[in-house]
Each structure stands twice: as structure tokens, then as C-alpha cells.
Amino acid sequence: MWLERCVKIPFFCLVLICNIGIGVHNIAIGVHAASSSSQDSQPYRTGYHFQPPKNWINDPNGPMYFNGVYHLFYQYNPFGPLWGNISWGHSISHDLVNWFILQPALSPKDPYDIGGCFSGSTTILPGPTRPRPVILYTGQDVNGSQVQNIAFPKNLSDPFLKDWVKWSGNPFLTPVNDIKNDKFRDPSTAWKGPDGKWRMVIGGEINGHGTALLYHSKDGFNWTRSEKPLHYSSETSMWECPDFYPVSYVGINGLDTSFQGNNISHVLKASYNNHEYYVIGTYDPNMDQFVVITNDFKVSNTQFQYDYGRFYASKSFYDSAKQRRVAWGWVNEGDSESDAVNKGWSGLQSFPRSIWLSDTRKQLVQWPVKEIEKLRTKQVSIPNREVKGGTHVEVPGITASQADVEVSFKLTNLNGTELIDSDESDPQLLCTQKNVSVGGSFGPFGLLILTSTNMTEQTAVFFRVFKGPNKFHVLMCSDQSRSSIAPQVDKSIYGAFVDIDPLHDKITLRSLIDHSIVESFGGEGLTCITARVYPKLAINDQAKLYVFNYGTKSVTLSSLNAWSMNKAQIVPMV
Ligand code: DQQ
């Protein structure tokens, strides 16, 4: 409640004193309200995606809910807009939407992390008298080797856990035997097995294979390596930021990382090849055996990924307050280093996503956490209507550069669907070959986002339906090829299939639009694609939003709801 009262107060003053009502604490909050002039000079800063006021960020680290407070740590350079001086930035929230930024929790100052406090996780251990969180993180030591370290809160009675102390036993693991000194990093959240011992995985590469190295510990501090890794793949190289957690067969609730029981599967996620690949399998905690039941890890556009766009080094946690699993990913920039220097910042966190197992039990579903809805303001709706081939319809009256849009399409027949000759086509390639300017029969239809008045700039997020030898395929594309008239920014086209039946299921799309990021969720969250864009014309109130259908066949727009979004309050605590 205290945090809620703080952030509900209007944000126009420079320094705001918020009485948090516990003990004698008063928090002075330095407020950097977004004036329209700052948005004019910084059109790519976001309104509701997490980013500090300036400087570099990358991977989300150690998210957790502890004593009524959400904590998000992240790779952070306190001194500039490019990667370096890697520290653990630290922010706290009561709702995953509005954040107070604290001083970095970890800085690279000790021989075992002087080259950087790299990624890691938090685990809430029982503690001598009460539960206490510990950070497990990778340090780059004086010799440039990657070693594993521990830190814990200095004062458990501090509701914000502002200060963290590095353990005197650091480093607790160093790269030995077959582990290379630059391929050993990113410890996961630990989980407890039936024998009472903790387990965790560390990302690595053994004999050239991407590997989740497995470790055991009685107390969470002293760890020994298991003979066998939890999993590895001969088809990939180094794995970064592994994440391992249970998912339930029933409903959308999440499970604590240590949960054991029936009717669950386990997810293993590994970061490589600039993407977040995951597999689903069965985990036997007695034998520490993980058997994959989906396609196994490889480098392929058809292998399941959390997100088929810009989204990397993600980290999930179990939110015991709302019984859900929540994940964030780092969304990096698509402009240049000199642009980062000019902007004074680089990198965003995705909007936090709830994550659960789909009904088929073969895939994950992701959806922005519900709290996002508190930022929704003006709503515009378009009721059921036909969208004829070759047309677009403006969605008027919202702040189209800072919006949340949900749209749903229905196809009544699939006569005349475009054919593809394989059921294993590469979706990324298909989206590139058939970008928004290539008309089809059912599709492209979807949203034209961050579109300029003359339509030269537009980010097209759309669907196309194909008929393969054995089934229909719904392709989802995020086409950035016309997203900016600036020549030098990245304009990749991303694509993936959505595992739905286009004859019976509605084809749904939700896009979180926030100035320079478009996070899109297709098929109710089965397929996610995040893009970064740098329009020159379609900025702030010059941006427009359209529904379009450039196929030859009509599609039914079942519903469209779009909301202008308020700015989240992301402010340093001073
Ligand atoms: N980023 C961190 C590493 C991790 C990589 C360094 C992934 O710990 O492997 O900033 O983006």
C-alpha cells in the first residue's frame, strides 16, 4: 500500500515527499515527469516500458516478489549508454507497472567481479530465522574468467532491500576441467528437490555444445557439479541465461520453481543465436532427469521461441502474490552506437508477461500482466464489420504512438487460400518474401502501426493464411521494412506461425505500441514478436493506426478495442 500511495500522487513537482506510513520513513522521490518537450527531443523513449532515465541496460536479472515488493534487477552501465561497467541496476514496484529506481545493488569492485557483475538470478532461501533472498550471479574476475558469486541483503528489515552484501566466500565456483573460462555464466533460480537439496543450472558450452550445467547444494551457498548436465544440445553452441521451471496442466496459474507434483511439465529455456528458445519436458527430481517432449534445441525458425523478434536473455520468476509466473526479456536497439550516444541511453525491458502452458501442453502462452490495464485511458472500439480486400480503415482518436490494441478477425471460408508446398516452411523467410506490399488471398491483414500521415512510414503486423499439403497455416509477420525513412536503422522482417485453426478459431492480435517498441501477441499469446522502430515522421501525435486488409478476399473484423496509454511512473528514489 505504501508504494501505491507514493505512485498515485500526481507527478508535476520536482521532488515529492511521500509518507510511507511505516515507522518513521519518509521517501524523497526525485521526479522526472515526461514533459512534451522531452518527448519531442527524445521521440524513442518509451511511455510504459521499463527503462532508466539514461544509460545502458541489457538482461533482466533476478526478478522476485519479496515481502510485498516486486524487485527487478538488470544489467546496467551507470556511466554511459554503451555496454560496460556492468552492474546490477535495481528497481522496485508494487504493481510491475510503476517503478522506483534505487542505487545499483551490485557494482564491479571486487577481484572476482571487477570485469563486470554479469547475469544471474535470485532464490528465496529459508534463512536462519526468516526467509532471505540471495543473488547468484556471474562475475568476470581479474583474469577475465567467469566465476560464480553470491550476494544477500544487508538488512532484511529494509522493505526495499536497498543494500546488498557480497559473500565472503566468493567466488563459490570457478571454471575447471572441461569448462572454458569464458563459457560459464548466468546461474538460474535454484529449486529444491525431494531430498531437500537445492539445484540450479548455469549456462555453458561443453565440447562445443550448448549446455545447462547442473549443480547441487545443501545450503544454497556451497555447490557441487553433477556428473551429468540437466540438458545439452549438439546442434547449438553456448547457452546463456538458462531458466528452468514447472508449468501446470490446469489453468493459467504459475507454480513455484520448487513445486513437485502431478499434472505438470517443466520448461527449459536457453538463450543463443539472439533468441529465446524453449523446450517442454518431463522432469524427474529424484534422478534429476529431464526428458524433452517437444522438438529439442536447435537453431531454427520453427523451434519454439518466447518471441520471434527482438527479445533476449529473459528471466522468469514465480509471483506468489498473484500465483503466476512472470517473464521479462531484454529488447535491444536497432539503431547505431552513435545513436545510443546521442540519445544517452540504450535498451528496454519488455513489458512483463504472464507465462503458462497452452491447452495442447506443447507450447507456452504469454500475455502482458493484467496490471497494464491501469494505464489504459481513452478507448476506441470498432464493432463487427467486413474489411474488403485492398482497403484500410483508420482507428481514430487515440494516442497511436502510446497505445494498447486488441483486434480479432474471423474468416468464414478458406476457398482460394494461397498454397505452399511444404508444411515445414520457414516462416521468417515467408514473411520476408511476402512482405506487406505483396498481396495474397487471405492476407496480409492486420494493423498498420506507427504510420505517418502520408503512409510512407508504417510498421505492419499482419497475418496470412496458407494451405500446405496436410493443413492450413496461419503466418504472423512483423514487417519493419517501411518503419522509418531513416536509412541506417534496422528494418528486419520477423515471422512465425500461429498454431490455430483458421476456419474455427478467431485470429487475434494484441500490440503494445510504445514510441519505438511494438510488442505483438498473436493467437491469444501463442506467438509473440517484438520489434524496435525509429520513425522520423510517425512520432508522438503524428502517428496513426490503421486496420488493413491487402489480400483479395474479405475478412471479418470481429472486434477492435484500442486504448491510449498513460505514462508509467519510473522514477529514481533519492
Ligand atoms: N549478458 C550478460 C551475460 C549474459 C549475456 C552480460 C546475455 O551474463 O550471458 O551483460 O545477454
Side-chain angles (χ1 to χ4, degrees):
M1 278 315 286
W2 51 268
L3 207 46
E4 187 155 20
R5 277 183 22 218
C6 289
V7 292
K8 274 187 177 160
I9 295 172
F11 257 58
F12 299 117
C13 52
L14 216 87
V15 174
L16 171 147
I17 305 296
C18 180
N19 187 335
I20 63 171
I22 41 174
V24 292
H25 300 272
N26 276 323
I27 312 168
I29 303 156
V31 175
H32 297 242
S35 65
S36 53
S37 66
S38 71
Q39 196 67 51
D40 284 349
S41 62
Q42 285 271 6
Y44 308 131
R45 277 195 73 80
T46 56
Y48 59 94
H49 281 79
F50 181 86
Q51 60 179 144
K54 60 180 184 172
N55 297 333
W56 167 276
I57 58 169
N58 57 299
D59 318 351
N61 292 150
M64 66 170 178
Y65 179 76
F66 185 72
N67 278 351
V69 179
Y70 292 104
H71 295 256
L72 174 65
F73 305 89
Y74 36 91
Q75 297 279 280
Y76 177 54
N77 179 357
F79 306 114
L82 303 178
W83 190 88
N85 310 298
I86 288 297
S87 308
W88 272 44
H90 183 194
S91 292
I92 53 168
S93 172
H94 81 288
D95 60 3
L96 299 173
V97 172
N98 301 293
W99 294 90
F100 288 108
I101 301 173
L102 308 180
Q103 289 304 311
L106 303 174
S107 302
K109 289 188 175 146
D110 294 281
Y112 49 79
D113 64 13
I114 194 79
C117 298
F118 288 0
S119 287
S121 307
T122 49
T123 300
I124 299 172
L125 294 176
T129 51
R130 53 183 159 153
R132 74 162 167 174
V134 295
I135 286 174
L136 270 64
Y137 73 101
T138 300
Q140 181 153 286
D141 74 7
V142 275
N143 303 315
S145 284
Q146 292 167 359
V147 301
Q148 314 310 324
N149 302 315
I150 287 177
F152 40 83
K154 187 171 182 184
N155 174 10
L156 269 183
S157 309
D158 168 13
F160 313 134
L161 305 179
K162 283 200 290 282
D163 298 316
W164 289 75
V165 180
K166 294 175 189 170
W167 185 36
S168 57
N170 287 344
F172 68 91
L173 288 172
T174 56
V176 288
N177 303 327
D178 52 351
I179 303 176
K180 294 201 175 124
N181 69 347
D182 62 341
K183 294 200 161 42
F184 183 47
R185 55 184 185 268
D186 312 335
S188 74
T189 294
W191 67 96
K192 211 180 206 169
D195 56 4
K197 282 192 192 159
W198 292 95
R199 287 111 163 108
M200 58 111 170
V201 283
I202 298 180
E205 183 185 292
I206 304 292
N207 300 326
H209 304 156
T211 304
L213 293 152
L214 181 64
Y215 290 80
H216 285 92
S217 170
K218 279 192 187 141
D219 57 5
F221 283 78
N222 298 287
W223 293 88
T224 48
R225 182 176 168 189
S226 277
E227 243 174 69
K228 284 203 275 174
L230 183 72
H231 199 58
Y232 73 95
S233 169
S234 51
E235 310 252 336
T236 79
S237 50
M238 172 75 193
W239 286 359
E240 301 181 305
C241 302
D243 201 3
F244 187 63
Y245 56 87
V247 280
S248 170
Y249 289 173
V250 193
I252 67 170
N253 279 359
L255 297 170
D256 184 89
T257 312
S258 295
F259 181 87
Q260 296 165 29
N262 297 324
N263 298 323
I264 64 169
S265 284
H266 271 74
V267 175
L268 177 62
K269 184 277 300 182
S271 309
Y272 56 84
N273 189 40
N274 288 326
H275 286 282
E276 297 294 277
Y277 296 88
Y278 70 87
V279 298
I280 296 170
T282 312
Y283 172 58
D284 173 356
N286 294 301
M287 306 299 289
D288 273 326
Q289 233 171 37
F290 178 59
V291 179
V292 174
I293 55 175
T294 53
N295 284 340
D296 214 337
F297 289 107
K298 55 181 178 281
V299 178
S300 152
N301 292 330
T302 49
Q303 154 92 44
F304 286 141
Q305 298 170 32
Y306 278 2
D307 194 296
Y308 298 84
R310 265 178 201 276
F311 184 97
Y312 194 65
S314 69
K315 185 71 69 185
S316 76
F317 77 107
Y318 175 63
D319 173 3
S320 57
K322 299 256 164 86
Q323 284 88 49
R324 61 188 169 182
R325 182 156 290 270
V326 176
W328 271 273
W330 165 40
V331 184
N332 70 355
E333 301 295 319
D335 59 1
S336 66
E337 283 198 353
S338 62
D339 289 327
V341 172
N342 289 337
K343 291 183 304 191
W345 59 272
S346 184
L348 305 175
Q349 300 300 337
S350 69
F351 202 82
R353 304 171 175 184
S354 292
I355 189 162
W356 66 89
L357 190 63
S358 77
D359 291 342
T360 64
R361 299 182 190 168
K362 287 190 188 134
Q363 238 188 304
L364 294 173
V365 182
Q366 297 165 81
W367 202 241
V369 296
K370 197 168 169 46
E371 288 88 331
I372 194 174
E373 293 174 16
K374 66 164 70 171
L375 294 176
R376 289 173 168 177
T377 62
K378 187 177 175 197
Q379 178 176 359
V380 169
S381 301
I382 300 180
N384 191 300
R385 58 168 284 176
E386 187 185 0
V387 187
K388 287 214 159 61
T391 64
H392 51 254
V393 182
E394 188 177 352
V395 182
I398 57 154
T399 56
S401 58
Q402 196 171 298
D404 180 359
V405 190
E406 294 193 72
V407 59
S408 164
F409 298 96
K410 186 86 192 85
L411 307 183
T412 40
N413 71 71
L414 288 171
N415 300 335
T417 308
E418 278 176 271
L419 302 178
I420 41 173
D421 51 18
S422 163
D423 288 315
E424 306 294 324
S425 301
D426 178 339
Q428 177 99 33
L429 193 65
L430 267 181
C431 286
T432 310
Q433 289 165 342
K434 291 176 182 278
N435 67 30
V436 68
S437 64
V438 182
S441 54
F442 290 101
F445 60 86
L447 296 173
L448 296 179
I449 290 167
L450 293 168
T451 301
S452 60
T453 313
N454 61 7
M455 296 192 95
T456 48
E457 285 186 336
Q458 52 179 253
T459 294
V461 183
F462 61 84
F463 300 100
R464 261 173 205 277
V465 181
F466 294 98
K467 189 166 193 277
N470 299 303
K471 56 177 186 171
F472 287 104
H473 299 272
V474 178
L475 180 70
M476 173 174 164
C477 306
S478 185
D479 178 354
Q480 284 66 242
S481 57
R482 301 175 179 192
S483 59
S484 176
I485 55 168
Q488 73 283 18
V489 296
D490 179 65
K491 295 177 192 168
S492 300
I493 299 176
Y494 306 120
F497 289 113
V498 191
D499 187 17
I500 52 173
D501 172 358
L503 246 193
H504 298 105
D505 299 332
K506 286 193 171 147
I507 302 179
T508 68
L509 172 65
R510 178 172 184 190
S511 287
L512 304 182
I513 305 163
D514 197 1
H515 300 276
S516 65
I517 180 170
V518 179
E519 262 188 277
S520 296
F521 302 80
E524 306 284 353
L526 281 173
T527 301
C528 308
I529 306 182
T530 297
R532 294 300 307 278
V533 290
Y534 304 89
K536 288 277 182 197
L537 308 170
I539 58 171
N540 299 329
D541 56 5
Q542 299 299 305
K544 293 182 181 300
L545 175 70
Y546 293 86
V547 188
F548 78 100
N549 175 16
Y550 293 159
T552 51
K553 307 278 188 183
S554 290
V555 298
T556 303
L557 174 73
S558 311
S559 66
L560 180 143
N561 290 294
W563 292 265
S564 295
M565 294 294 273
N566 277 331
K567 203 171 158 52
Q569 296 168 358
I570 302 172
V571 292
M573 186 180 275
V574 289

